[in-house]
Amino acid sequence: MNDKFKQNKANYKQLIDELNQRIEKLKSGGGEKKIAKQHEKGKLTARERIEYLIDKNSRTIEIGIFAGDGMYMEYGGCPAGGVVVVIGYVSGRQCVIVANDATVKAGAWFPISTKKNLRAQEIAMENKLPVIYLVDSAGVFLPMQDEIFPDKENFGRIFRNNAIMSAKGIPQIAAIMGSCVAGGAYLPIMSDEAIIVNKTGSIFLAGSYLVKSAIGENVDNETLGGAETHTEISGVVDYKVESDYEALDKIRSLMSKIGKPKKACFDRIEAVPPKKNPEDIYGIIPEKRDTPYNMYEVIERLVDNSEFDEYKSNYGKTIICAYARIEGWAAGIVANQRTIVKTKSGEMQFGGVIYSDSADKAAHFIMNCNQKKIPLVFLHDVTGFMVGSRSEHGGIIKDGAKMVNAMANSIVPKFSVVVGNSYGAGNYAMCGKAYDPRLIVAWPTAQLAVMSGASAAKTLLQIHLSSLKAQGKEISKEEEQKMLDEIMQKYNEQTSPYYSAARLWTDAIIDPLETRKLISMGIEAASHNPIKKKYKTGVIRT
C-alpha cells in the first residue's frame, strides 16, 4: 500500500463521512419537534412505518433521499422531497414503498415530490413490482401549484399511472394514515385495496372549511371523510384499523397472499464475494479527477471472485467490455478506462475519452448482451467523445451514434453507476438518465455536466470577453481571473453529485461498497418482468 493509495483512501473516506452525515440529517425530515408532534397524535413517522413494514434484517434501496436538497429554501426547504421511497421486501415479496413524510409541510406535494413519486411508479411499472402507498399528505403545496398541477409530468400523471398499473396487473395497496385531501384522495382509491386508520386517517375531495365556503354546509372532517364514514357508509375504503401498526400488519397479510410472478430469463448461480477487497476502491479512485487510474482494478472489486471474460481486450481500449457475475447474476459490463492506452499502431489514446474503435466495440458488445439476455451495467468515468479533425474525418459521430443506437434500443435491463466524470454525449452513450436505466446511482466522486468545470468556465469566459470587446471595453488580467473564478464556482456547484441527486438526475448517491447490492437487487426486480420484445436497432451507418 503506497502513499498515493493511502492518500486516496483517506480522501474517499472523508467523502463517505460527508455522505453519511448528509443522509442522517435528511432522515430527520422536518426535525425533532415535528416528529414529536406526529407521535403525540399516535402516528408513526414515514420512516418508522417503513421500518416496521419491511421484513426484518432484509435489504433495501432508498430512492431519492437527496431529492429537493437545497431547493425551495424560501419556503423552508423540502427534505427528501417530503416523501420516502424504498425498494424492499414485505412478506418475502420485493416491492416499492412510497410514504408521505408528514413532518415536512404536513406531507404537502412540492414539484420535486411529484417527480419523485413518478420515479417510484416508473420503477414499479418497468419491473412489475407491487406498490405500497402509506398516505399522509395535506395535498398540493398551494404557493407552487402552477408547477405541480397542470402539466403532463405533474401531479395528475400519478393517478394516470395508478390506472395503468392496475390494468397491467401490478398490485397497489394504500394505507390512509393521515390527511388525504382533494386530488390526492384519488391515489389511495385508485389503488386496488385501501386501508384507513380510525380517527387519524381521513379522505375527502374538500375539507370542512371548503365545504362551508362552497355550499354552506356545516360538517366536521371526521363525519365528512373519516374511517367510519368510508368503511360503513360510502364503501370507498376496504379495511378499517385502529392504529398505524394494525394498518401495516394488514398490508403484510395482504402481501403474503399475492400470487408469485413469472420470472425473467436472467441467469443466476450461487453468489461469490470478490477475491480482491472492495474497500480498496477507496484507494484506487484518485483525489484529483484528471489523474489516470485503472478501471480494471475497480471492476475486480465489484464482480464475483474478481473474475470476468473481457470482450475484444486488445481493441478499442478506452472502453472495457466484459461478461461477469455480480452476486451470482450474469451481467455485461461497459466501463470507461481511465488510463492512457496505446494502440497497436502506436497511437496514444486519452483515458476516459470514447474513440471510434471503442464506440464500435461497445455497440457490438451491447448487441451481444441483448442477444443473450444479459443485463447491462455501465460504469461512467467519461469526458466525452474524441474531438478534432482526425476523429471527425474518421467518422466519430457515426460510430458514437452506433453505440447510442445499440444502447437506446436495448431490451435487457440497464444499470448505470457514475463513478467519476459523466460529461456531454459520453453521458448519453453510457446510458445516462435520458436512456431509461432501471437504476442510476452516483458515487461521491461523480460529476454530471455538459463538460468539465474548467473547460466550461474558459468557454463561457471567452464568450463574455468577446462580447465586451465588441462593445469596445477592455478588462484587466485581475478582473478576467475574478470572472473566471466566479464562473468556475457556479459551474462546480452544478456538477456536484448532490446537485444532480437533488433534481433526481440520479436515484441515489451511494458508498461504492453498496454497488453490488444495488445491482443485484435491481436485476432481481427486473426479473419480475419477463422480456417479450425482440431486440432490434434503428438504422446504423456503416
Side-chain angles (χ1 to χ4, degrees):
M1 188 183 292
N2 58 35
D3 290 341
K4 185 178 178 182
F5 184 95
K6 290 178 181 176
Q7 184 178 341
N8 288 342
K9 188 171 184 178
N11 174 68
Y12 216 112
K13 286 200 167 185
Q14 283 185 345
L15 296 176
I16 298 297
D17 287 342
E18 179 190 358
L19 172 64
N20 291 333
Q21 288 169 15
R22 283 175 175 250
I23 288 173
E24 284 307 308
K25 184 178 179 181
L26 289 168
K27 282 183 176 179
S28 66
E32 294 303 320
K33 289 183 179 179
K34 295 290 179 66
I35 291 172
K37 284 185 178 181
Q38 190 87 338
H39 290 161
E40 286 169 12
K41 295 175 183 176
K43 296 160 65 175
L44 301 173
T45 65
R47 293 186 181 279
E48 289 167 344
R49 288 165 177 165
I50 292 173
E51 185 179 358
Y52 182 85
L53 177 64
I54 60 174
D55 296 345
K56 302 310 172 196
N57 302 314
S58 63
R59 304 198 296 182
T60 61
I61 299 170
E62 181 163 355
I63 302 297
I65 192 170
F66 288 100
D69 189 31
M71 299 167 64
Y72 316 119
M73 299 313 293
E74 66 273 32
Y75 300 112
C78 185
V83 62
V84 183
V85 174
V86 165
I87 301 172
Y89 300 86
V90 176
S91 297
R93 286 293 304 271
Q94 195 176 30
C95 59
V96 176
I97 305 167
V98 181
N100 299 114
D101 187 350
T103 71
V104 179
K105 293 288 189 296
W109 295 69
F110 283 71
I112 198 68
S113 315
T114 300
K115 188 173 183 179
K116 187 170 175 178
N117 273 266
L118 290 173
R119 176 60 179 146
Q121 290 182 321
E122 181 181 39
I123 291 169
M125 287 190 285
E126 286 179 330
N127 299 294
K128 289 198 170 179
L129 292 180
V131 187
I132 297 168
Y133 303 104
L134 306 180
V135 186
D136 193 349
S137 172
V140 167
F141 185 63
L142 290 177
M144 301 190 73
Q145 66 84 28
D146 62 322
E147 297 180 46
I148 302 167
F149 169 71
D151 211 344
K152 181 178 178 180
E153 298 300 328
N154 284 176
F155 195 50
R157 189 76 171 182
I158 293 169
F159 316 132
R160 173 264 189 193
N161 288 348
N162 287 141
I164 296 296
M165 283 191 282
S166 186
K168 289 183 176 181
I170 300 170
Q172 298 172 86
I173 300 172
I176 302 155
M177 310 178 86
S179 298
C180 192
V181 184
Y186 285 102
L187 184 146
I189 306 311
M190 292 194 73
S191 299
D192 302 317
E193 293 184 279
I195 302 158
I196 188 166
V197 181
N198 194 24
K199 304 303 181 186
T200 56
S202 59
I203 179 168
F204 34 67
L205 296 181
S208 56
Y209 293 125
L210 185 53
V211 168
K212 173 67 174 175
S213 172
I215 63 173
E217 181 184 2
N218 286 307
V219 61
D220 63 87
N221 283 340
E222 191 65 27
T223 303
L224 188 64
E228 290 185 0
T229 295
H230 284 311
T231 57
E232 298 176 22
I233 301 173
S234 73
V236 166
V237 180
D238 307 304
Y239 308 95
K240 181 180 80 170
V241 295
E242 297 301 323
S243 69
D244 280 11
Y245 292 111
E246 192 178 339
L248 299 168
D249 287 337
K250 177 61 73 175
I251 292 171
R252 290 185 58 80
S253 180
L254 294 171
M255 285 290 292
S256 72
K257 299 172 181 67
I258 293 175
K260 301 295 182 185
K262 293 180 180 179
K263 293 291 184 179
C265 51
F266 309 128
D267 186 68
R268 191 181 197 186
I269 61 174
E270 187 176 348
V272 179
K275 271 187 181 178
K276 297 188 177 181
N277 185 1
E279 197 170 318
D280 289 345
I281 291 172
Y282 298 155
I284 294 166
I285 305 295
E287 183 175 358
K288 295 181 179 178
R289 65 184 51 256
D290 57 353
T291 303
Y293 65 93
N294 193 339
M295 186 61 87
Y296 286 106
E297 295 183 2
V298 174
I299 295 171
E300 287 171 344
R301 287 154 178 85
L302 293 177
V303 301
D304 288 12
N305 210 36
S306 300
E307 294 178 343
F308 53 87
D309 300 306
E310 187 174 3
Y311 176 76
K312 289 191 177 181
S313 59
N314 295 318
Y315 179 74
K317 293 183 177 182
T318 64
I319 285 185
I320 300 167
C321 297
Y323 301 107
R325 290 192 182 273
I326 297 174
E327 289 201 354
W329 293 102
I333 295 172
V334 180
N336 304 114
Q337 173 60 297
R338 279 303 310 273
T339 61
I340 296 174
V341 299
K342 188 176 183 179
T343 67
K344 190 173 182 180
S345 63
E347 178 192 1
M348 303 303 291
Q349 294 185 341
F350 297 104
V353 178
I354 302 176
Y355 289 77
S356 284
D357 54 357
S358 302
D360 179 69
K361 176 175 81 171
H364 198 172
F365 179 75
I366 289 165
M367 293 177 192
N368 282 347
C369 287
N370 277 273
Q371 182 82 356
K372 298 175 182 179
K373 303 297 186 289
I374 300 174
L376 285 159
V377 177
F378 294 84
L379 303 178
H380 298 221
D381 200 339
V382 58
T383 54
F385 286 87
M386 191 59 191
V387 297
S389 60
R390 184 172 179 178
S391 292
E392 298 293 358
H393 296 171
I396 185 66
I397 298 174
K398 173 188 67 179
D399 292 315
K402 185 191 303 182
M403 181 178 174
V404 170
N405 201 323
M407 179 275 301
N409 283 294
S410 286
I411 56 172
V412 295
K414 300 170 290 191
F415 302 90
S416 283
V417 181
V418 186
V419 173
N421 304 323
S422 189
Y423 296 156
N427 169 274
Y428 298 163
M430 292 295 291
C431 192
K433 184 66 182 286
Y435 291 84
D436 301 318
R438 296 294 176 97
L439 294 170
I440 177 169
V441 297
W443 288 0
T445 39
Q447 280 195 354
L448 283 82
V450 171
M451 61 182 76
S452 71
S455 297
K458 289 174 183 175
T459 302
L460 291 168
L461 179 64
Q462 289 305 313
I463 293 169
H464 189 54
L465 291 176
S466 296
S467 176
L468 291 174
K469 189 175 181 180
Q471 298 171 33
K473 298 177 182 177
E474 295 288 338
I475 65 169
S476 67
K477 288 291 182 184
E478 291 77 12
E479 289 173 317
E480 185 177 323
Q481 185 60 48
K482 184 181 177 182
M483 289 170 60
L484 180 63
D485 292 342
E486 288 173 353
I487 295 170
M488 275 283 288
Q489 182 180 352
K490 182 179 179 181
Y491 200 86
N492 286 338
E493 286 174 2
Q494 293 179 353
T495 60
S496 160
Y498 295 101
Y499 189 93
S500 300
R503 288 149 184 82
L504 287 173
W505 301 343
T506 59
D507 293 316
I509 304 172
I510 65 167
D511 184 328
L513 303 186
E514 294 287 297
T515 307
R516 279 170 55 81
K517 177 194 83 171
L518 182 129
I519 293 170
S520 175
M521 285 184 66
I523 298 176
E524 180 187 355
S527 72
H528 290 75
N529 190 6
I531 296 172
K532 296 177 181 177
K533 295 179 181 178
K534 288 186 178 180
Y535 178 64
K536 60 181 181 179
T537 65
V539 174
I540 290 180
R541 297 177 187 274
T542 57

